[in-house]
Amino acid sequence: MTQERQLGLAQLLADGPFLEILADAGYQGMGAQTGGRVLTPPHRKFKKNAPAWCEERHEQQRKTHSSRRIRVEHGIAHLKNWRALARHLSRREHMSDIIQAVAALLSHQQTATLGHDLRT
C-alpha cells in the first residue's frame, strides 16, 4: 500500500477506464479509494460468536475470490521460477523488459504444450 500511495495508483484507477483488479488482502481498503475497481477478499467483521449464516457467507465469498485469483497466483509463481528473474543483479530499468520476455516465453510454452496434448 505504501508503494501504491507513493505512485498515486488509486487516483489513476479511479480516474481511468473501469477495470476490475483482483488483489490480495494486503490491499484491503483500496476498493473504497478506487470506486470499487480493486476487489480484495472479504474483511472479517465478526471476531467472536458470529452467527452460522455469517460464517458460511464469509467462507463462500472468500472461496469465490480465491478461485478467481488463482490464475494470477499461478502466473506469479511461474515467473518466480525463472532463473533470470530470481538472480537478477543488473539494473532495475531492464527488469520490465525481462519480465515481458519471460511472460511471452511462458505463454508460448503453455500454448505449445496444450497443442501437443491435443494431438496425442
Side-chain angles (χ1 to χ4, degrees):
M1 289 294 288
T2 302
Q3 186 71 18
E4 172 271 320
R5 281 188 208 102
Q6 289 175 350
L7 296 174
L9 183 61
Q11 191 63 37
L12 288 172
L13 289 171
D15 294 342
F18 187 81
L19 300 171
E20 188 176 85
I21 299 172
L22 298 173
D24 62 9
Y27 292 92
Q28 210 73 316
M30 195 169 171
Q33 297 173 5
T34 61
R37 287 173 167 87
V38 176
L39 302 176
T40 57
H43 182 68
R44 191 171 193 99
K45 295 204 178 221
F46 292 99
K47 301 276 185 194
K48 297 179 183 176
N49 302 326
W53 64 267
C54 184
E55 291 288 338
E56 291 172 10
R57 182 172 176 240
H58 178 268
E59 188 65 19
Q60 180 61 36
Q61 289 175 335
R62 189 192 65 74
K63 284 184 179 180
T64 300
H65 183 82
S66 176
S67 66
R68 290 181 65 199
R69 189 164 155 72
I70 194 69
R71 293 183 190 108
V72 173
E73 293 295 336
H74 283 171
I76 292 169
H78 281 298
L79 287 173
K80 286 181 177 180
N81 285 332
W82 283 76
R83 188 169 297 180
L85 297 176
R87 296 183 181 170
H88 181 74
L89 299 174
S90 63
R91 300 181 62 82
R92 289 185 183 173
E93 291 85 23
H94 303 297
M95 193 65 169
S96 62
D97 294 334
I98 293 171
I99 290 174
Q100 287 178 358
V102 169
L105 288 170
L106 181 60
S107 176
H108 177 72
Q109 178 186 17
Q110 289 177 341
T111 304
T113 303
L114 178 64
H116 176 67
D117 290 345
L118 293 176
R119 283 185 243 134
T120 57

